Amino acid sequence: MRKKIGEVLMEIGLIKQEQIEQALMLQKGGNKRLGKVLIELGYIEEMQMAEALSKQFSLPLVDCSKYTISKELIALVPKDVAEKKIIFPIEIRDKRLTVVMADPLDWPSIDELSFRTGMKISVAVAPETSIIEAIERHYVEDKSDSWDLLKDLPNYEDAEFVKKSPEEDENNQNIQSLFNLSEAPPIVKLVTMVLVDAVKSRASDIHIEPHEKHVQVRYRVDGNLRNVLKYPKHIQESVISRIKIIANLDITNRRSPQDGRSTLRFEKRNIDLRISSLPSVYGENIVIRLLDQSTGLVSLGKLGIPEKILTPLLKLASQPQGMILVTGPTGSGKSTTLYAILQQLMTETESIFTIEDPVEYKLQGLTQVGVNEAVGLTFSGALRSILRQDPDIIMVGEIRDRETADIAVRSALTGHLVLSTIHTNDTISTITRLLDIGLDAYLVSSAVTGILAQRLVRRICSECKIESDRPLEIPSCNLPLLSKTFKGSGCSFCQYTGYRGQVGIYEFVLMDTRLKRLIPRLVPEEELWDAAHAAGTVTLFEDAWAKVRDGITTVEEVLAKIPYRDTEALTAKCPEEQPAKVLVFNMTEKLNALVSRALEPAGYSISLSSDKELVAAATRESPDLVLVGEYKEAMEQIKLLRSNVRYAYTPVFLFTDKNQSGNREEDRKLGIREYFSESLDAARLLSIVNRELREN
C-alpha cells in the first residue's frame, strides 16, 4: 500500500500526529497539498521535506537551476499541469521522462503524466520554491499570440463605459529611498541614521518627543521603550520638516494632527514607515511605525500558540461561517495572528477580502481595502461594499462601533467566515463589550464562535540566561509554586537588557452550548467566567505563569504585562448551571402531563404555552428546545419561528399521530428533528431530549 506524505514525515520524526491533524483541518477540501500546509504552518522547512523524501525513497535531490531545458521537453508537460501539480521536466532518456516534483507521492499525477506522454516516469525531488522558479523561467508565453486572439474577439459597438469624475488617489505618493541619500545635508543624514539604526535594533516604533530644552528619541524594542538619543532643540523644526517631506505631509501645518507613509529601502528589504504627527506643548510629537515586509508575516505554527488552543482555533478557521475575534491592547500582536490565519486560508477556491486601517502587510491572493475616512470610506461602508463582491472570508481590521459590529455579525450568520479584532482586556470582557456597543445578545451568541485574547511579553535572552532567586513579592495567585526561576544577566546580544524577542501569551474561549445559553440571559461576567473555566479555558495569567515555570520569561515581566485575575474564584466549584428550558406549545393536557412527567424530574424547566403565535411564546421564554402539538396552523407557525434568526437553529419536535411520510422532506427543511405520537413513553422522550440538547 502506497504511503501518504504525512505518514512518511511522521515515521522519520519530522512532525507529530497533532500537527498532521491541524494541517488536515486547513486543507480546505484538498485544495492545498498537505505538505504545503505543513510548510506554511512552519512545522517543516521546504529543504527538510525534500531531503527527507529523497532519503526515504532513494530519489535524487536536484537543483532545477542547473538544467538546460529544450522547448521539446517543455512541451511534454503542459503549463497548466506544471503549475497546478508543481511538476517540472528535466530530462528524457530511452523513452523515460524524468520530472522534478515537490510531492513525489502524488501518484495520480504521475500516472496521468505517464498516460499523457506514453512514457515511463522517473521522479526527482526539489524544494517547491525552486520548481516554481524553474516553471516561471521556462514556460514563457508568446505575447504575439495573445494579441492575435484579441483580433478575433467580437466588437460590441453599442456598449460604452460611463465615466465618473476622477478622484485623486492619496495612496499614489512619491515614495523616496532614504538609505541612498548619503550625500545629503546633515539633517537628512540624521533622520536617515535614526531610521536605519532603528531597523538594526529591531524596533517596532520610533518616538521623537520634543521637550523644553531638547528632543528625545526613543525606540520601542520587544514592547518596551528605550531612550536612544537626544538632539538639540534648535534643529527640532528641521528634523520634523524632513520627516514630513518623507511622508508627503504638509510642512506648513503645525497645528493639526497628520498621518502619512513612506518606504525605507535597506539591505534589500522594504521597510514601510507609518508616520504620525501630533501637536504638543513643546512642538510636534512624531511616532514612526516600522513594518518590515520580509519579517512581519509569521506562520501560524511559529506564533507559540499552545496546542490546546491552536487545534480548536484551526478547526473554527476551517469552518465556512462564524466569527473569530482576536482581542488585546495595541501592540499585542493581533494583526500578526490574523495575517497568519489568512495565510493558511488562502486557496484558489476562496474569495478573501480584508478591511484595514491602514493595510499593514500586502498579501498575494486576496483583496485588501484600506480605510480612508477623509473620503468617507469607513469600516462599515467598506464592509457593505465587500458583501456585494461575493466574499467567502472577510477580515475586518477592528470593530470600533455598533454599525460595523452589526454588519460583521450578520455576515457571520449568513455564510461568511469573519475574522476581526476588538480592544478589550480578555475573552469574556469581549462579550460584554459587544453587548455594550448595542448588539443583541442572541446575535452575539449565534455568530461568535471563538475569542482569542493575547499579550506579548519579553523572552529571556538565550545568550545570557541564568538561574535567579525567586522574587519575594508574588501575589497569592493559587498557581503552582515555582521551584526555580530564570533571568537574563545582560549581554551585547540583547543590548544588556536580559531580554531578546517576545513570546505570545494566549487565552481562548470556544463558544460552547453553555455560554451560548448564558449570553442571551445577560448574566454577570463572573458567571460567564465560571462557564469558560469549567470548559477548560486557561487564563492569560495562567498561561504566562506556565512560561515562567518553563524558563521562557520572568516573573517580573509577567506581573508587569499580564492582567491578574484571582484564580481562586475560577478554580472554586462553579454554581449549578441554569436548567435547560423546554417550550411546550399548544399540546393536549394528556401530552402536557407526559412531558412534565418525563422531563421535570430530570431538571428541565417546562413552560406550557397556549399562545396563538409560536414566535411570541419563544421570544418570551427563550427556550432551548420546542415541543409543538399538531393543530391546523402548526406548520405555518414553525415556518414563522424559523424566519426569526434567533430561533433558526432551535430544536423543534412535532407531536402527531398522522402518517408524515409524504411531508418528511419538507418538514426536515424546517428543522423538525423528531416526530412523536401520544403513545410515546416518558423514558423514550427523556432519552431523545437528552441526546438532542447534549449535541446542541
Side-chain angles (χ1 to χ4, degrees):
M1 183 177 177
R2 290 171 169 174
K3 294 181 180 179
K4 296 181 179 180
I5 194 165
E7 295 172 345
V8 172
L9 295 174
M10 285 179 59
E11 284 182 4
I12 59 182
L14 280 176
I15 57 173
K16 302 175 183 177
Q17 177 65 40
E18 56 266 25
Q19 293 172 332
I20 285 286
E21 292 172 356
Q22 292 166 2
L24 287 171
M25 283 190 288
L26 287 172
Q27 264 199 291
K28 288 291 187 181
N31 292 316
K32 280 189 180 182
R33 293 182 297 104
L34 182 63
K36 183 174 179 63
V37 177
L38 289 167
I39 291 169
E40 289 176 346
L41 284 168
Y43 292 150
I44 188 172
E45 301 291 337
E46 276 190 307
M47 184 56 74
Q48 278 184 307
M49 176 170 285
E51 290 173 347
L53 293 172
S54 171
K55 183 177 180 181
Q56 183 76 7
F57 297 100
S58 300
L59 298 173
L61 180 64
V62 303
D63 182 353
C64 297
S65 63
K66 294 183 178 179
Y67 287 83
T68 302
I69 311 300
S70 66
K71 290 184 177 180
E72 291 75 19
L73 186 57
I74 288 293
L76 292 174
V77 183
K79 183 181 180 182
D80 60 331
V81 175
E83 291 180 333
K84 186 174 182 179
K85 303 296 185 180
I86 317 297
I87 297 176
F88 183 68
I90 58 171
E91 189 178 58
I92 185 170
R93 183 180 300 174
D94 298 329
K95 293 187 177 181
R96 179 178 290 274
L97 175 64
T98 301
V99 297
V100 185
M101 302 178 68
D103 181 4
L105 303 182
D106 184 2
W107 308 112
S109 296
I110 295 172
D111 294 340
E112 179 185 340
L113 190 59
S114 177
F115 177 78
R116 181 189 292 268
T117 61
M119 301 181 185
K120 293 182 179 180
I121 306 297
S122 293
V123 177
V125 294
E128 181 176 312
T129 302
S130 67
I131 299 175
I132 292 174
E133 289 175 354
I135 292 171
E136 291 176 347
R137 188 168 60 252
H138 289 87
Y139 285 85
V140 181
E141 293 183 356
D142 187 346
K143 294 184 178 180
S144 62
D145 292 343
S146 300
W147 288 110
D148 291 339
L149 288 172
L150 291 175
K151 294 176 183 177
D152 297 330
L153 293 177
N155 293 321
Y156 294 96
E157 297 178 353
D158 57 340
E160 64 177 0
F161 291 98
V162 179
K163 296 183 179 180
K164 295 185 178 181
S165 57
E167 294 180 1
E168 183 179 356
D169 185 2
E170 295 184 3
N171 289 327
N172 293 330
Q173 298 178 0
N174 182 22
I175 298 176
Q176 303 177 35
S177 177
L178 306 181
F179 186 62
N180 293 329
L181 298 177
S182 57
E183 301 301 322
I187 295 299
V188 175
K189 288 186 177 181
L190 171 63
V191 173
T192 303
M193 181 205 74
V194 169
L195 291 169
V196 172
D197 183 59
V199 172
K200 289 181 176 180
S201 301
R202 303 180 299 108
S204 61
D205 302 271
I206 304 171
H207 290 242
I208 301 175
E209 303 164 339
H211 295 277
E212 184 177 4
K213 297 181 179 179
H214 67 274
V215 178
Q216 178 73 59
V217 178
R218 299 195 288 173
Y219 297 163
R220 187 177 296 279
V221 181
D222 296 334
N224 282 37
L225 283 170
R226 303 176 186 174
N227 289 336
V228 179
L229 64 91
K230 296 177 182 178
Y231 62 80
K233 188 75 174 176
H234 69 268
I235 64 171
Q236 172 181 318
E237 297 302 331
S238 300
V239 171
I240 291 175
S241 295
R242 174 59 189 164
I243 293 172
K244 283 187 168 184
I245 290 171
I246 290 169
N248 201 26
L249 299 179
D250 183 359
I251 62 174
T252 64
N253 182 1
R254 299 178 183 177
R255 297 182 178 181
S256 303
Q258 295 186 69
D259 295 293
R261 60 188 298 174
S262 186
T263 298
L264 169 66
R265 179 73 174 171
F266 176 64
E267 293 182 346
K268 297 182 179 180
R269 292 184 291 164
N270 283 334
I271 314 296
D272 281 352
L273 310 177
R274 306 291 164 79
I275 300 169
S276 171
S277 72
L278 180 70
S280 69
V281 173
Y282 296 114
E284 289 179 275
N285 196 84
I286 302 289
V287 175
I288 305 173
R289 170 66 59 89
L290 307 175
L291 297 171
D292 189 343
Q293 297 290 337
S294 63
T295 62
L297 296 174
V298 183
S299 62
L300 197 56
K302 292 183 178 179
L303 289 179
I305 302 177
E307 292 290 335
K308 187 177 180 181
I309 292 177
L310 186 57
T311 299
L313 181 62
L314 290 176
K315 186 175 181 180
L316 293 182
S318 65
Q319 299 300 309
Q321 67 183 56
M323 174 181 278
I324 300 173
L325 293 172
V326 182
T327 182
T330 301
S332 60
K334 300 186 297 299
S335 295
T336 300
T337 299
L338 288 181
Y339 277 120
I341 294 174
L342 285 178
Q343 288 182 86
Q344 306 309 315
L345 298 179
M346 285 190 293
T347 68
E348 63 180 19
T349 62
E350 300 288 351
S351 174
I352 304 177
F353 289 78
T354 73
I355 312 167
E356 305 168 67
D357 184 19
V359 175
E360 293 191 6
Y361 297 102
K362 297 175 183 177
L363 298 178
Q364 298 296 323
L366 50 81
T367 303
Q368 296 174 275
V369 179
V371 169
N372 188 344
E373 294 188 358
V375 297
L377 184 60
T378 62
F379 275 109
S380 57
L383 185 52
R384 282 197 193 91
S385 298
I386 283 174
L387 290 173
R388 294 191 286 270
Q389 297 273 314
D390 188 29
D392 296 303
I393 301 168
I394 306 169
M395 192 268 270
V396 182
E398 183 184 348
I399 290 179
R400 298 177 178 176
D401 52 53
R402 177 178 178 176
E403 188 177 13
T404 304
D406 190 66
I407 300 171
V409 163
R410 295 183 187 277
S411 300
L413 287 171
T414 54
H416 304 90
L417 177 63
V418 180
L419 310 175
S420 189
T421 71
I422 189 168
H423 286 277
T424 55
N425 290 327
D426 51 50
T427 51
I428 296 301
S429 63
T430 301
I431 298 172
T432 305
R433 172 63 179 154
L434 292 174
L435 298 177
D436 286 344
I437 64 177
L439 285 183
D440 292 327
Y442 72 89
L443 287 177
V444 175
S445 64
S446 300
V448 178
T449 54
I451 305 172
L452 179 71
Q454 63 181 71
R455 295 289 193 281
L456 294 174
V457 297
R458 290 180 294 174
R459 187 189 294 268
I460 297 173
C461 176
S462 59
E463 298 295 316
C464 60
K465 180 178 177 180
I466 60 173
E467 191 171 337
S468 65
D469 295 331
R470 183 173 179 270
L472 296 177
E473 296 184 5
I474 296 181
S476 177
C477 52
N478 201 33
L479 292 170
L481 294 176
L482 300 171
S483 58
K484 55 184 177 181
T485 58
F486 297 87
K487 68 176 183 179
S489 60
C491 64
S492 58
F493 186 64
C494 62
Q495 299 184 25
Y496 300 95
T497 62
Y499 300 96
R500 184 177 175 88
Q502 293 176 287
V503 63
I505 306 297
Y506 299 94
E507 172 184 293
F508 182 68
V509 164
L510 181 67
M511 297 293 284
D512 60 7
T513 303
R514 185 179 178 191
L515 276 171
K516 287 179 179 292
R517 290 175 185 165
L518 290 174
I519 292 171
R521 297 173 186 170
L522 302 179
V523 300
E525 269 193 22
E526 285 304 319
E527 287 193 40
L528 297 177
W529 267 115
D530 291 338
H533 196 73
T537 294
V538 175
T539 66
L540 285 167
F541 197 87
E542 288 170 318
D543 184 43
W545 201 255
K547 289 180 169 63
V548 173
R549 182 196 60 217
D550 295 338
I552 298 173
T553 189
T554 63
V555 173
E556 293 84 358
E557 183 73 359
V558 168
L559 296 180
K561 301 283 183 66
I562 306 301
Y564 169 67
R565 279 184 54 82
D566 184 2
T567 55
E568 184 176 356
L570 297 179
T571 55
K573 183 179 179 181
C574 295
E576 283 190 16
E577 184 178 356
Q578 294 293 324
K581 183 175 289 187
V582 177
L583 173 62
V584 182
F585 185 76
N586 273 337
M587 297 217 292
T588 64
E589 290 185 7
K590 181 180 178 181
L591 288 176
N592 287 343
L594 169 66
V595 172
S596 298
R597 185 169 67 252
L599 303 183
E600 282 184 344
Y604 288 99
S605 173
I606 309 299
S607 176
L608 304 177
S609 173
S610 57
D611 289 4
K612 292 183 178 181
E613 295 182 2
L614 179 55
V615 174
T619 302
R620 184 179 66 249
E621 301 296 340
S622 297
D624 299 295
L625 182 144
V626 178
L627 301 178
V628 180
E630 186 188 25
Y631 68 108
K632 187 176 181 180
E633 293 91 20
M635 300 309 297
E636 191 63 34
Q637 288 297 312
I638 294 174
K639 287 181 182 179
L640 291 173
L641 183 76
R642 290 302 187 209
S643 66
N644 188 312
V645 67
R646 185 171 183 178
Y647 308 110
Y649 301 103
T650 302
V652 174
F653 294 170
L654 181 65
F655 275 81
T656 177
D657 279 324
K658 294 184 179 179
N659 182 2
Q660 291 288 325
S661 59
N663 299 323
R664 287 274 175 122
E665 185 60 32
E666 181 180 350
D667 296 348
R668 290 293 182 188
K669 292 179 181 179
L670 288 176
I672 297 176
R673 308 291 180 86
E674 293 282 354
Y675 299 87
F676 296 145
S677 68
E678 293 191 12
S679 60
L680 180 73
D681 64 273
R684 174 65 177 158
L685 174 60
L686 176 60
S687 173
I688 295 174
V689 171
N690 281 339
R691 182 197 66 199
E692 182 64 35
L693 291 181
R694 276 200 302 269
E695 292 177 351
N696 293 280

